[in-house]
Amino acid sequence: MPEAPSAVVRMWRVRPWNPNPLLRVSDRFEVLVRVLAVLAVVVAVPISGAIGTVSYTGAVARIAAQDAGKTQVTATVTADAQLLPTADHYGAQPDRYQVPVQFMFDAHARTATIELPKPKLSGSTTALWIGPEGNPTMAPARPGSAAAEGVGTGLAILVESWCATAASVWITAAVLDSRRSARWEREWRLLNRPIGKDSL
């Protein structure tokens, strides 16, 4: 019994430029699409890496500019915290509290109203980040935020490109299979005689 040809041989036989007349145009086109899809998947890796690197570099510069001049001070709570109303009635979001505070900036006392995740009583203290102008601001970005942004962007581009490539291959195969099935059905009707018209 002859051995079945290897996968490499089978792939070589269905190459788009194969002169075999039994290889249909649709088969050649489908193989070409799959070859291009493999190339797209491979090329997407370095491209996604380059985009992720650019995103990381931009994130580093942006975060450095945003965090420049931020200073942490100790603020004194001047009134009991008030629970902020929330639109979520199912408790999925954590409670937030609003509290007035007083702090020193540039040798002058300043006041502000901030939000806290936990309630504070009047007279207690809390850490507060302020910007170059002495206004309350967000805490500096965590270490690794720029790297996480760069990696996330690169992976997102890679996954999206792979999904688009897979969808293109699937759609192409589905359309070609549908066209081939319709053609086979037409040819089968031409070969078969209508029922009741057979002759001996």
Side-chain angles (χ1 to χ4, degrees):
M1 181 180 224
E3 295 184 0
S6 63
V8 176
V9 173
R10 291 197 301 271
M11 292 179 62
W12 177 252
R13 288 177 178 175
V14 296
R15 63 192 185 278
W17 58 89
N18 190 336
N20 190 336
L22 297 179
L23 191 61
R24 299 167 295 189
V25 176
S26 61
D27 294 331
R28 300 175 191 274
F29 180 74
E30 187 173 2
V31 172
L32 179 61
V33 169
R34 294 187 178 185
V35 170
L36 293 177
V38 172
L39 293 177
V41 167
V42 174
V43 172
V45 175
I47 292 178
S48 300
I51 294 175
T53 302
V54 172
S55 176
Y56 165 74
T57 304
V60 169
R62 186 185 71 252
I63 291 174
Q66 291 175 348
D67 293 344
K70 288 185 178 181
T71 307
Q72 188 178 44
V73 298
T74 300
T76 302
V77 178
T78 58
D80 293 345
Q82 300 294 324
L83 178 64
L84 292 174
T86 177
D88 188 357
H89 301 288
Y90 299 98
Q93 295 181 351
D95 292 335
R96 300 291 298 177
Y97 297 86
Q98 192 177 62
V99 58
V101 297
Q102 185 179 35
F103 59 95
M104 298 298 295
F105 175 74
D106 198 17
H108 294 86
R110 302 189 64 168
T111 60
T113 301
I114 62 174
E115 292 184 12
L116 297 174
K118 295 181 180 180
K120 290 277 188 178
L121 297 177
S122 178
S124 59
T125 59
T126 183
L128 177 65
W129 284 95
I130 58 175
E133 303 298 326
N135 299 318
T137 186
M138 298 177 60
R142 296 179 179 179
S145 297
E149 183 173 336
V151 171
T153 301
L155 286 178
I157 296 297
L158 183 63
V159 172
E160 289 176 3
S161 62
W162 283 358
C163 289
T165 302
S168 300
V169 172
W170 182 83
I171 292 173
T172 301
V175 171
L176 293 179
D177 286 343
S178 177
R179 291 174 61 88
R180 285 191 288 254
S181 297
R183 183 175 179 179
W184 288 338
E185 185 175 354
R186 289 194 302 269
E187 292 178 354
W188 182 255
R189 288 178 179 176
L190 292 175
L191 291 175
N192 286 294
R193 297 174 181 175
I195 297 176
K197 295 186 179 180
D198 294 338
S199 59
L200 296 177

